[in-house]
Amino acid sequence: MIDDETPVLIVGGSMVGLASALFLSHHGVRPLLVERHAQISAHPRAQAASPRTMELLDGLGIGDAVRAVETPHAQYGDVLQAESLAGAELNRFDGPFRHDTHGVSSTGWTLVGQDRLEPVLRRRAEELGADIRFGTELLDYLQDGDGVTARIRRTGDGAERTVRARYLIAADGNRSAIRTGLGIGTHGRGTFGRQMIILFRADLERYVDGRKFFLCFVSNPAVHGVLGQLGASGTDRWCLAPSLRPDETHTDYTPERCLDLVRAAVGDPALSAVIEDASSWEIAARMADRFTAGRVFLAGDAAHVLPPTGGFGGNLGIQDAHNLAWKLALVLRGTAGAGLLDSYEAERLPVAEFTTEQGVIRYLQRSGLDPETAARHQPEATVLFGHRYRSRAVAPEDDDPATVEDPRQASGRPGTRATHLPVRHDGRDTTVVELVNRDFALLTTPDGRAWLDAGGEVCARLGLPLDRHVVGAGPDATLIEPSGTFAERYGVGARGAVLVRPDGFVAWRAPELTGDPAATLTAVFDRVLAR
């Protein structure tokens, strides 16, 4: 007997699972999410939402809500190096998440821990209709040609239910039982070490001594780790993230031993502190060999694990969810063929390979890089914004195998993120990327209006919503762009057009008006939507 039916079952209620629920709900799909823990974790874990992630959240209208819960002291940016908080200060430098985006985005890093970000994602997903059940675990599932049948159980009272879903998203972490059960292997550099995080309460104001900093790296014979304040100035909630040996976990550390580490990090052997909790995780570089198996999709740490350097890992997972959500929505609606879902792995696996390598390079920089590895280092802007997709969901112009390009010299080619272009729409300042967040968008110049008429005709026939815009400086433009550089920056001519996907990536472009624009667009949508 089926107790619940849902279009998409999401397993895992951390950042990526909640993002999946949010993006699907934004597209009108009401998913069911199950998470075995009773509540969102109190551990901050991933510390920053990248500019690309903030673009996505701004497009959904919750960017400001995320900025409002930014981690206290994040605005200071500074990072200290010291023997201990009370000991000699060795160095002070700019934090890792204040880099210039070189004019390729209107957003910047937002220093927000998962413990602060996840409630915002959950609240908005539920407002949009997502069914989110914490304290509920997946027992098992079977997939067939039409969907997935799963058994779930409430951890509190043991009550079981059977769920029927069309698709399943595995966001169940780096030890993903779903990935293992599917027989999907992993590859990569493997484990570098382990990191523990200790949550504690203590009055450290006299040791801070009025200094303004985001994090403090401490190093002495008793402890190597990072101290961070979790509450506002004057509060007593802190965390310590000490390094562990690869064979250790937090379970090897008693509360008394954790207290010793905290005291050593602060530099006061008699410090009064209360240990609230401890957890640990693996610092590793590992990728799933596949991201898809039938009707199951791996996302986030279930698909890839990165070192924390660069802050790429959690953001990569959120962008997995964003890439997959619009595709699932169109397939579930019947507008796209099931083949569109094949583009998820085709697009995200190469991006994950590239981003993982960049995280590893940044991690190994601390101990020195060989020239060959150092030569593969790419700028932060390229890692965050330079992805180039190659799949059937893109109408290609060439056979260039490159998976990235420098967004500071954006080409506007199909498969790349829509070139950053500030515009004014309905009386407010925005960008093309922020504006395109649910439906396809067709952009053209004032002389290319025939494209918009053809696009309206084709999409009405397909039952596909389409945003249509004239980009220019004149009174007939719907996107006001005073610089007049749209055509140049997107690589089209005076009567060209650009089709942008719901995820903000260019699906197709035409340098000039063709003889039959409706036929041209029909062929484009048939390809991109796997019709």
Side-chain angles (χ1 to χ4, degrees):
M1 182 181 71
I2 302 299
D3 299 303
D4 299 299
E5 293 189 13
T6 182
V8 182
L9 174 62
I10 303 167
V11 180
S14 190
M15 186 165 62
V16 175
L18 291 170
S20 298
L22 171 60
F23 293 134
L24 283 166
S25 300
H26 175 69
H27 284 286
V29 176
R30 186 175 183 266
L32 167 61
L33 181 151
V34 296
E35 164 56 51
R36 62 185 179 87
H37 291 103
Q39 57 191 8
I40 287 172
S41 173
H43 289 273
R45 293 175 291 172
Q47 291 283 336
S50 74
R52 175 58 181 155
T53 292
M54 293 307 300
E55 284 184 346
L56 307 183
L57 300 182
D58 281 333
L60 270 63
I62 63 170
D64 287 343
V66 173
R67 294 182 184 94
V69 296
E70 190 171 30
T71 304
H73 303 287
Q75 67 271 25
Y76 301 134
D78 287 356
V79 172
L80 301 184
Q81 283 184 329
E83 292 178 355
S84 66
L85 192 59
E89 187 174 314
L90 306 175
N91 202 357
R92 180 186 287 259
F93 51 92
D94 289 339
F97 302 122
R98 290 301 190 199
H99 299 165
D100 183 2
T101 55
H102 304 286
V104 302
S105 177
S106 62
T107 67
W109 287 93
T110 297
L111 304 189
V112 56
Q114 283 183 236
D115 58 322
R116 292 170 175 268
L117 173 60
E118 288 174 356
V120 179
L121 301 180
R122 177 180 181 176
R123 182 166 57 250
R124 185 56 180 153
E126 289 181 322
E127 288 172 354
L128 293 174
D131 183 357
I132 296 178
R133 305 181 193 179
F134 274 62
T136 304
E137 61 184 344
L138 174 72
L139 294 178
D140 52 44
Y141 73 93
L142 289 173
Q143 63 171 314
D144 53 50
D146 298 317
V148 174
T149 302
R151 287 194 309 136
I152 61 175
R153 177 172 62 198
R154 288 202 301 260
T155 56
D157 60 12
E160 294 185 13
R161 299 182 71 83
T162 300
V163 177
R164 181 66 177 172
R166 294 278 301 281
Y167 297 98
L168 186 153
I169 297 176
D172 55 339
N174 68 314
R175 295 188 298 274
S176 172
I178 295 175
R179 183 190 66 226
T180 300
L182 290 167
I184 297 177
T186 61
H187 61 277
R189 296 287 293 264
T191 302
F192 296 107
R194 291 194 67 84
Q195 192 87 41
M196 180 164 69
I197 187 165
I198 302 168
L199 303 184
F200 68 97
R201 291 188 178 274
D203 181 3
L204 304 185
E205 283 298 297
R206 67 189 181 96
Y207 308 104
V208 172
D209 194 26
R211 291 174 292 180
K212 305 293 187 182
F213 60 88
F214 172 49
L215 296 172
C216 179
F217 284 77
V218 296
S219 181
N220 58 60
V223 63
H224 297 271
V226 186
L227 271 171
Q229 191 167 6
L230 300 179
S233 181
T235 59
D236 63 353
R237 190 162 183 260
W238 288 74
C239 67
L240 170 67
S243 299
L244 301 179
R245 297 193 310 269
D247 61 338
E248 289 183 309
T249 74
H250 64 282
T251 58
D252 298 316
Y253 284 72
T254 63
E256 293 75 19
R257 193 175 176 192
C258 290
L259 180 58
D260 288 341
L261 291 176
V262 167
R263 286 171 169 168
V266 174
D268 182 352
L271 176 73
S272 176
V274 176
I275 305 300
E276 291 188 332
D277 196 16
S279 183
S280 61
W281 71 93
E282 186 180 57
I283 300 175
R286 190 175 295 114
M287 290 254 320
D289 297 335
R290 292 180 289 139
F291 286 8
T292 305
R295 291 176 172 265
V296 180
F297 304 91
L298 307 183
D301 284 357
H304 42 69
V305 177
L306 286 69
T309 41
F312 303 139
N315 291 288
L316 186 66
I318 288 176
Q319 290 151 41
D320 289 341
H322 188 252
N323 180 280
L324 181 58
W326 70 271
K327 298 172 181 178
L328 281 170
L330 289 181
V331 171
L332 287 165
R333 202 177 299 154
T335 307
L340 174 61
L341 299 176
D342 295 339
S343 69
Y344 171 66
E345 178 178 304
E347 294 180 352
R348 295 305 296 171
L349 197 151
V351 168
E353 293 272 15
F354 167 76
T355 309
T356 299
E357 179 185 51
Q358 294 302 308
V360 169
I361 288 171
R362 285 157 171 79
Y363 183 80
L364 296 177
Q365 276 179 328
R366 299 180 299 182
S367 56
L369 291 173
D370 63 85
E372 181 181 348
T373 302
R376 296 198 298 273
H377 182 282
Q378 292 284 345
E380 182 187 69
T382 300
V383 181
L384 297 178
F385 299 106
H387 309 150
R388 186 181 181 211
Y389 292 150
R390 301 190 66 81
S391 75
R392 71 172 301 156
V394 171
E397 295 178 347
D398 55 57
D399 56 3
D400 179 0
T403 57
V404 295
E405 70 173 25
D406 187 344
R408 296 168 297 183
Q409 301 173 358
S411 65
R413 290 188 296 178
T416 61
R417 166 182 163 271
T419 303
H420 177 62
L421 185 68
V423 294
R424 190 163 182 80
H425 177 62
D426 286 345
R428 70 180 184 91
D429 293 329
T430 184
T431 68
V432 168
V433 171
E434 291 176 12
L435 195 64
V436 182
N437 59 66
R438 179 182 282 112
D439 301 318
F440 281 88
L442 186 61
L443 313 178
T444 189
T445 63
D447 293 332
R449 292 182 169 279
W451 284 116
L452 303 190
D453 295 337
E457 172 192 329
V458 170
C459 287
R461 188 167 65 248
L462 296 177
L464 179 70
L466 177 69
D467 294 330
R468 295 176 290 166
H469 293 289
V470 171
V471 187
D476 56 347
T478 56
L479 297 185
I480 308 300
E481 199 271 302
S483 70
T485 60
F486 162 70
E488 176 187 352
R489 297 178 72 175
Y490 277 83
V492 297
R495 296 196 300 167
V498 178
L499 181 66
V500 182
R501 307 188 324 185
D503 59 355
F505 278 71
V506 176
W508 161 89
R509 68 181 177 183
E512 291 293 342
L513 188 65
T514 62
D516 188 343
T520 300
L521 287 171
T522 297
V524 169
F525 278 112
D526 282 348
R527 175 193 168 89
V528 172
L529 299 179
R531 293 178 60 84

